[in-house]
Amino acid sequence: MLNIHNLSVSFGGTYLFEEVTFRLGAGDRVGLVGKNGAGKSTMLKMLAGDFKPDSGVISQEKDIRMGFLRQDIDFEQGRTVLEEAYEAFTEIKVVEKKLEEINHQLVTRTDYESEEYGQIIEDLSDYTHRFELLGGYNYVGDTEKILLGLGFKREVFNNQTETFSGGWRMRIELAKLLLQSNDVLLLDEPTNHLDIESIIWLENFLRNYPGVVVIVSHDKMFLDNVTNRTIEISLGKAYDFNKPYSQYLELRHEIREKQLATQKNQQKKIEETEKLIEKFRAKASKASMAQSLIKKLDKVERIEVDEDDNSVMNISFPVSKEPGKVVIEAEHVTKAYGDKTILKDISLLVERGSKIAFVGQNGQGKSTFIKALVNEFEYDGNIKLGHNVQLGYFAQNQAEYLDGEITLLQTMEDAATDTNRMKVRDMLGSFLFRGDDVEKKVKVLSGGERNRLALCKLLLQPINVLLMDEPTNHLDIKSKNVLKAALQKFGGTLLLVSHDRDFLQGMSNIVYEFKDQKIKEYLGDINFFLEQRNLENMREVEKKDVVKTAAPVKEASKVSYEDQKKTKALQNRLSKIESQIQQLEKDIQHDDKMLETNYDKHVEDASFFTAYNKKKADLDQLLIDWEIVQEEIDNFNS
């Protein structure tokens, strides 16, 4: 469908791509990956015809239909969600309007015997047939089906588009593209504003899509579940393999290792040949042999190893000063937008040093609660910050708060204080903005680069409590890993909103699930939460039809600080006992297998049986301890 041949693009004398070539055919679902600023969005714009390359050719089949989901979307005001979605059916709407005019004429005219009336009847037949061929009788139902799949409720179908956030507007634009029956779909980070349920729906849709799909995404799981091919843009080159992302990474690593080994062997042979040349040059009788070896060496095609762009951010979040024991205390917090209640009677106590993850479907109040903590709007109830608390807040749409008309350096200098203004260039360098990059205007940055700048700007203020709302949006996979490491090392208190289970692994010791205007507390990490819910992965957490199999978890409510402290101590003790029981059961199971496979060897080993029996005795005692602690918790709760 599309042929890309020797494509080159340069900015300021530096190549973004140089002689990139690949072909896209029906059934290709391509993950276009690479670091922030590598040129992924630029490549999509060139494929869509929005941007012309310096050299090279993009050829396509005749009458090809192409849909492009851009990161920046503009809507015409005054349309409802349905009306905007119906814009996908341009030709159907034209034919539908013509049929309305014809039917109006048939009702109002009385010259039944005239030629004009006969022509109207013929037009009615022609337009009705055309309307049917275009799917006119199905487009209303198809539109509702797509909108529902992307998370819209029926009750908002007639709301004006300007009343929705940028993320929801992006969903409307995505719905239009999916309804158009395009031959080629170009999707620039389609999952950034979707909750897990909508991502799963989109995955299923794209897996069955008959045309070409090219996706720019940093969601590893989404790429693995949808794509069958990966093109990575790195240092001006394109690496193309018919594998999903994770398999591609493994394959590329193997290829590079082989290249290194082959290059090493070749270099060894070249050095040996060069030694012979030097040796033969010294003797007149061997001069012809030396010349022969030189010619042979000149003809050797040197093996090159694919370059890797391993530059990453250097980021850390220093703690400004130590706050009090309790950093946040929320009491009976309620928030409603009109008739819609998002949070109802939420009470929560956050202690110094806690690492807390907020999970749940979009629209359940995670971001709303974070915004309440920073006093972004009025709410019912009370939120009290503890002694010496200094909040650092990274909003889900943090990059949108940046002024696009000023430079990166100006952005930082305007937010800096007298104590750190001299450090802003070094800070920008740590976030991979070096040299002339700092003089770029913010508006030319990619989504990931803007997020990096927003993170850099966040560090200009003193922080001991971090509120991070979807901080990985737009960030490339390497940058995600660096951010995760920095947050894990952060010595302060962390409240993190994320749908990304890979990112959440090892990040929290408390999980709050937001659902149905309430929150539920799980005293453990994300894996403990998933075990309690008896779920396999984060995606199932956010499905509406999840079957509840876990024991009821106590809903977070306002109790005294001492009571909370005692409850947490008991819960932590119970969790520790459960972990020890699980480990001992695994160890005993392993020993049982060893006895089955090599009984004679182990029966003579007294130390083996001593340890084996001790594990069983320890397990029995832990089971007794578990019952005692669980009974204490039940008594305390009652």
Side-chain angles (χ1 to χ4, degrees), residues 68-257:
F68 182 17
L69 179 69
R70 297 167 175 82
Q71 287 188 24
D72 300 318
I73 299 167
D74 290 323
F75 279 123
E76 182 178 315
Q77 292 194 359
R79 290 183 185 146
T80 66
V81 173
L82 277 178
E83 288 169 344
E84 185 64 47
Y86 290 157
E87 290 297 304
F89 306 101
T90 308
E91 191 175 355
I92 288 178
K93 297 297 287 182
V94 170
V95 175
E96 187 176 53
K97 188 175 182 181
K98 191 66 179 177
L99 283 171
E100 288 175 2
E101 292 173 359
I102 292 172
N103 284 315
H104 178 72
Q105 290 186 57
L106 289 174
V107 170
T108 56
R109 293 182 67 140
T110 57
D111 53 336
Y112 307 121
E113 304 299 327
S114 67
E115 289 184 13
E116 290 85 351
Y117 197 88
Q119 184 60 50
I120 292 172
I121 296 296
E122 287 185 25
D123 290 345
L124 176 64
S125 177
D126 292 341
Y127 278 108
T128 301
H129 181 61
R130 181 64 182 160
F131 189 70
E132 187 175 355
L133 287 176
L134 291 171
Y137 295 111
N138 301 320
Y139 84 91
V140 172
D142 289 343
T143 301
E144 293 185 2
K145 180 180 175 183
I146 295 287
L147 289 173
L148 290 169
L150 289 172
F152 288 92
K153 310 286 187 187
R154 287 188 185 276
E155 53 264 31
V156 305
F157 281 180
N158 292 315
N159 291 2
Q160 300 287 309
T161 57
E162 56 262 33
T163 63
F164 290 87
S165 66
W168 284 98
R169 292 186 192 183
M170 189 279 290
R171 295 192 195 205
I172 300 172
E173 189 67 15
L174 180 57
K176 286 160 63 177
L177 292 182
L178 301 183
L179 287 163
Q180 284 170 351
S181 301
N182 291 293
D183 302 301
V184 179
L185 269 182
L186 308 175
L187 306 178
D188 197 354
E189 302 205 43
T191 65
N192 268 355
H193 301 285
L194 299 182
D195 58 31
I196 298 302
E197 189 176 0
S198 299
I199 291 174
I200 294 171
W201 180 89
L202 182 60
E203 284 178 356
N204 291 330
F205 184 96
L206 294 177
R207 273 197 293 262
N208 299 313
Y209 198 78
V212 173
V213 183
V214 183
I215 305 166
V216 170
S217 178
H218 302 302
D219 186 329
K220 179 183 172 184
M221 188 177 292
F222 180 72
L223 289 172
D224 283 341
N225 286 338
V226 172
T227 63
N228 53 22
R229 182 176 169 190
T230 300
I231 297 177
E232 180 181 9
I233 298 175
S234 178
L235 300 173
K237 294 184 178 180
Y239 300 91
D240 185 359
F241 289 90
N242 290 320
K243 299 284 183 184
Y245 181 72
S246 293
Q247 294 179 35
Y248 158 73
L249 282 182
E250 294 175 9
L251 186 58
R252 186 166 178 221
H253 177 72
E254 290 174 8
I255 290 172
R256 195 169 187 277
E257 289 296 311

Side-chain angles (χ1 to χ4, degrees), residues 340-568:
K340 184 175 177 59
T341 300
I342 305 297
L343 300 172
K344 187 174 182 180
D345 200 29
I346 300 298
S347 295
L348 173 66
L349 184 142
V350 179
E351 296 180 2
R352 181 182 63 232
S354 297
K355 309 295 182 185
I356 296 173
F358 290 164
V359 301
Q361 286 180 322
N362 277 357
Q364 293 295 324
K366 304 183 299 295
S367 297
T368 301
F369 187 72
I370 292 284
K371 290 176 182 177
L373 295 179
V374 295
N375 242 358
E376 195 164 302
F377 48 64
E378 293 184 358
Y379 53 85
D380 294 327
N382 181 51
I383 293 176
K384 180 183 176 183
L385 299 183
H387 178 64
N388 280 341
V389 168
Q390 294 178 320
L391 294 179
Y393 173 44
F394 188 92
Q396 188 173 148
N397 58 341
Q398 186 72 41
E400 295 177 15
Y401 293 119
L402 300 173
D403 185 348
E405 295 302 323
I406 65 175
T407 66
L408 281 68
L409 187 59
Q410 285 176 288
T411 299
M412 291 291 287
E413 287 179 341
D414 289 349
T417 63
D418 292 338
T419 57
N420 56 27
R421 185 166 284 107
M422 297 298 292
K423 300 178 182 178
V424 295
R425 282 184 178 271
D426 291 337
M427 292 175 69
L428 285 167
S430 296
F431 282 79
L432 305 182
F433 300 116
R434 295 167 182 147
D436 293 338
D437 287 344
V438 301
E439 301 299 338
K440 290 180 180 177
K441 287 192 174 182
V442 172
K443 65 182 179 183
V444 305
L445 299 180
S446 68
E449 288 172 323
R450 291 187 190 190
N451 246 30
R452 290 212 313 264
L453 178 60
L455 283 169
C456 188
K457 183 181 174 185
L458 178 65
L459 293 178
L460 289 170
Q461 57 183 300
I463 297 167
N464 52 29
V465 178
L466 268 176
L467 311 176
M468 307 292 279
D469 190 358
E470 299 288 0
T472 61
N473 278 355
H474 300 290
L475 287 183
D476 60 59
I477 294 170
K478 286 183 179 178
S479 295
K480 278 186 185 182
N481 293 336
V482 172
L483 176 60
K484 179 175 180 176
L487 290 176
Q488 286 175 321
K489 292 178 182 177
F490 176 55
T493 305
L494 174 66
L495 277 68
L496 174 64
V497 177
S498 180
H499 294 299
D500 189 334
R501 183 187 174 183
D502 287 336
F503 187 74
L504 284 172
Q505 293 281 345
M507 293 290 280
S508 64
N509 50 30
I510 301 173
V511 175
Y512 284 99
E513 181 187 15
F514 283 68
K515 190 172 184 180
D516 299 331
Q517 305 170 357
K518 299 290 185 180
I519 59 174
K520 290 184 180 179
E521 182 185 63
Y522 297 80
L523 294 167
D525 62 7
I526 198 68
N527 290 327
F528 173 76
F529 166 67
L530 296 173
E531 288 169 9
Q532 291 294 303
R533 294 291 305 272
N534 197 24
L535 305 172
E536 292 182 359
N537 53 52
M538 272 302 292
R539 298 172 166 241
E540 290 181 89
V541 172
E542 301 187 55
K543 281 187 180 179
K544 289 183 179 177
D545 57 353
V546 165
V547 178
K548 296 182 182 179
T549 56
V553 180
K554 183 184 176 184
E555 190 168 277
S557 59
K558 174 66 183 138
V559 294
S560 72
Y561 171 65
E562 289 301 323
D563 285 349
Q564 279 203 1
K565 186 176 177 182
K566 185 175 179 180
T567 305
K568 286 187 177 183

Side-chain angles (χ1 to χ4, degrees), residues 272-366:
E272 290 172 353
T273 304
E274 287 174 342
K275 287 179 182 178
L276 283 174
I277 291 170
E278 289 301 315
K279 183 179 179 182
F280 292 158
R281 269 178 175 164
K283 298 180 181 179
S285 60
K286 301 288 187 179
S288 60
M289 291 184 67
Q291 289 301 315
S292 177
L293 287 172
I294 290 171
K295 289 179 181 177
K296 182 180 178 182
L297 199 58
D298 288 341
K299 292 178 181 177
V300 172
E301 188 174 337
R302 305 297 171 109
I303 294 169
E304 294 185 0
V305 177
D306 294 339
E307 288 186 78
D308 266 346
D309 186 354
N310 291 315
S311 57
V312 293
M313 295 186 296
N314 180 16
I315 177 175
S316 64
F317 295 96
V319 176
S320 55
K321 57 185 175 182
E322 185 170 293
K325 176 69 173 177
V326 177
V327 294
I328 298 172
E329 188 169 8
E331 298 175 310
H332 309 296
V333 174
T334 298
K335 177 61 181 175
Y337 294 97
D339 296 332
K340 184 175 177 59
T341 300
I342 305 297
L343 300 172
K344 187 174 182 180
D345 200 29
I346 300 298
S347 295
L348 173 66
L349 184 142
V350 179
E351 296 180 2
R352 181 182 63 232
S354 297
K355 309 295 182 185
I356 296 173
F358 290 164
V359 301
Q361 286 180 322
N362 277 357
Q364 293 295 324
K366 304 183 299 295

